[in-house]
């Protein structure tokens, strides 16, 4: 996504807080969704096969969620093609959900109490759309993560059942964000990846 496209929908998080040098972080102006573009050292051996790239995707995902991996559920994984990258560059996208720690919060009685409880409670779950771009020659993995917290009262629970293929509005919007990234993402300066 080019900055001029992103500015109408998301805000550059580095204007609010410090962000590591290997990341660009954007937050949705209208909600809680965040987009993180991260440049990392390539994981795994040379070459690319479904097995090598699958292990790299798993390792990147485990690094992303850390000790919370036991609360992660991957729903699907697919090969992804970026419009402005060479067709030979492998990329993969997965959709996963991360459950919160502990039992789901009980909603307080009464409308004002319920609203206050929603503000303080953790999300019911966070949907994650994770795209991995493998730049073998540059010894680099680019990880694009879209995090979509689902907070009780902020989404229609009946519209979301990933087991039945029902994504709901928030995940649908995130898939649209991902699609725009796949269509517009481009490496403008390949020299960025050269070792100093």
């Amino acid at each position: 996504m080019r900055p001029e496209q992103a500015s109408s929908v998301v805000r550059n998080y580095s204007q609010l807080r410090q962000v590591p040098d290997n990341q660009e972080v954007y937050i949705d102006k209208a909600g809680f969704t965040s987009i993180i573009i991260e440049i990392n050292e390539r994981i795994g051996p040379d070459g690319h096969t479904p097995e090598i790239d699958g292990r790299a995707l798993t390792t990147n995902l485990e690094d992303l969620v850390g000790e919370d991996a036991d609360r992660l559920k991957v729903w699907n994984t697919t090969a992804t093609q970026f419009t402005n990258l060479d067709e030979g560059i492998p990329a993969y996208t997965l959709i996963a959900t991360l459950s919160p720690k502990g039992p789901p919060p009980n909603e307080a009685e009464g409308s004002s109490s319920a609203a206050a409880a929603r503000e303080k409670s953790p999300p019911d779950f966070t949907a994650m759309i994770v795209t991995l771009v493998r730049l073998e020659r540059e010894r680099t993995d680019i990880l694009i993560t879209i995090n979509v917290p689902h907070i009780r009262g902020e989404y229609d629970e009946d519209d979301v059942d990933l087991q039945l293929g029902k994504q709901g509005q928030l995940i649908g919007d995130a898939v649209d964000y991902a699609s725009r990234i796949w269509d517009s993402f481009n490496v403008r300066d390949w020299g960025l990846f050269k070792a100093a």
Side-chain angles (χ1 to χ4, degrees), residues 21-162:
D21 289 343
N22 69 322
Q23 292 182 353
E24 288 292 331
V25 180
Y26 301 92
I27 53 174
D28 182 353
K29 287 180 178 178
F32 301 104
T33 298
S34 64
I35 301 171
I36 302 167
I37 301 171
E38 188 171 2
I39 300 173
N40 295 321
E41 184 175 341
R42 181 181 156 86
I43 293 174
D46 291 343
H48 75 88
T49 65
E51 184 177 293
I52 290 172
D53 294 342
R55 270 187 273 150
L57 184 57
T58 299
T59 301
N60 273 293
L61 187 59
E62 288 171 348
D63 287 349
L64 194 62
V65 298
E67 64 187 38
D68 298 329
D70 61 327
R71 297 182 294 109
L72 184 73
K73 166 89 170 128
V74 175
W75 295 95
N76 68 354
T77 305
T78 185
T80 303
Q81 181 60 54
F82 281 70
T83 302
N84 297 313
L85 294 178
D86 185 291
E87 286 185 26
I89 295 175
Y92 306 89
T93 299
L94 63 79
I95 295 178
T97 51
L98 185 63
S99 301
K101 291 180 181 176
N106 291 329
E107 196 159 33
E109 296 294 323
S111 60
S112 63
S113 297
R118 274 197 305 271
E119 287 179 20
K120 294 178 183 175
S121 68
D124 291 345
F125 67 93
T126 299
M128 302 170 68
I129 299 174
V130 180
T131 299
L132 173 65
V133 180
R134 313 246 29 229
L135 302 177
E136 182 177 6
R137 186 178 53 214
E138 290 74 22
R139 306 285 311 143
T140 300
D141 284 338
I142 298 175
L143 197 64
I144 302 166
T145 306
I146 303 173
N147 295 302
V148 188
H150 282 67
I151 299 168
R152 182 161 294 153
E154 300 294 325
Y155 73 102
D156 186 343
E157 294 177 46
D158 294 333
D159 285 349
V160 180
D161 188 339
L162 292 174

